[in-house]
Amino acid sequence: MQVTLPQTLPGVAAGTLLVFINALGDYTNPDLLGGSSSMTIARLLYNKFLGTSQDWGLGSAMTMLLIMTVATAIALLVKYGDKNAKQF
């Protein structure tokens, strides 16, 4: 455990980030699979802009918070990621 985890940590971080970013933008699958009972971040933002409430101010603030969260995660991955990784 003391050897394996430090060596695989950049890959785990990159995989987590890739799954996280794809999950944020996917708002049609929960609607098709789970019906109206399931709520995701992307679907919440969609409802704030195009739903019945149409609260564009809150939707914009939530979108900026989401963008800042993703940008921070990417910046941390770039800063603390594997510097010796091969780039294709």
Side-chain angles (χ1 to χ4, degrees), residues 20-35:
F20 176 68
I21 290 173
N22 286 331
L24 289 177
D26 189 20
Y27 63 90
T28 56
N29 285 344
D31 191 30
L32 293 173
L33 297 175

Side-chain angles (χ1 to χ4, degrees), residues 45-64:
L45 291 174
Y46 178 81
N47 287 339
K48 288 296 176 192
F49 285 108
L50 301 174
T52 57
S53 66
Q54 290 192 355
D55 189 3
W56 283 53
L58 181 59
S60 298
M62 291 170 63
T63 303
M64 288 306 297

